[in-house]
Amino acid sequence: APVRGREPCTGLLHPLQAGMWLIWWDACGLFCFFFGEAVVMLSNYVLVKHVLGPWSQWNAIGIVNLVFFESIIVIVTIAHWRAMMVCPGVTEKNTATPADCKPNKDDPMWWTKPKRRYCKRCKAFKPPR
């Protein structure tokens, strides 16, 4: 099912991936995906097997560090998958108001911040040009 607030792209979906965006036949994209996942898995293996294990001898501090590191690995993997499965250029609906588009005058550097564009139909920020 599509992510709430996002419109799925049409025409590029794998039949099993209804509501998600992924081009399965893009060789460069698939190479980058597999390379990125391999780097994450290899760094996980090396750090756990050859750095964390010998350093801590699997005592309580080593286990805490392992849990912390593995949670970071999970977050990185989820972020990579989410970035890969979302249609580029799609913004969340109902996340902005016209007042959000104007710079805050209380900020001393307000004049350096650009005014953001706003879509009245979907109530979201338009991407910068």
Side-chain angles (χ1 to χ4, degrees):
V3 176
R4 193 175 134 250
R6 294 181 185 239
E7 296 293 327
C9 290
T10 57
L12 301 173
L13 298 176
H14 187 277
L16 300 176
Q17 302 291 327
M20 287 193 275
W21 186 85
L22 179 64
I23 301 175
W24 287 95
W25 56 88
D26 176 27
C28 180
L30 288 175
F31 173 78
C32 290
F33 164 71
F34 286 119
F35 182 75
E37 291 296 317
V39 165
V40 169
M41 286 187 278
L42 182 64
S43 66
N44 186 17
Y45 170 77
V46 168
L47 191 87
V48 170
K49 176 91 171 151
H50 299 289
V51 175
L52 191 60
W55 170 73
S56 68
Q57 270 99 53
W58 301 114
N59 58 16
I61 293 174
I63 300 297
V64 169
N65 283 329
L66 175 69
V67 168
F68 179 71
F69 180 72
E70 290 300 325
S71 64
I72 291 173
I73 292 291
V74 168
I75 290 170
V76 165
T77 304
I78 290 171
H80 188 218
W81 275 85
R82 287 187 69 188
M84 188 180 71
M85 295 289 186
V86 173
C87 182
V90 175
T91 58
E92 300 272 343
K93 287 186 174 183
N94 301 321
T95 57
T97 63
D100 294 334
C101 296
K102 297 175 186 157
N104 184 4
K105 300 282 185 177
D106 295 333
D107 186 7
M109 298 294 285
W110 68 269
W111 54 274
T112 63
K113 296 179 181 160
K115 182 179 177 185
R116 303 215 38 204
R117 297 181 312 136
Y118 173 77
C119 177
K120 293 176 184 162
R121 189 183 74 178
C122 63
K123 295 185 175 119
F125 290 122
K126 290 182 179 179
R129 291 182 177 221

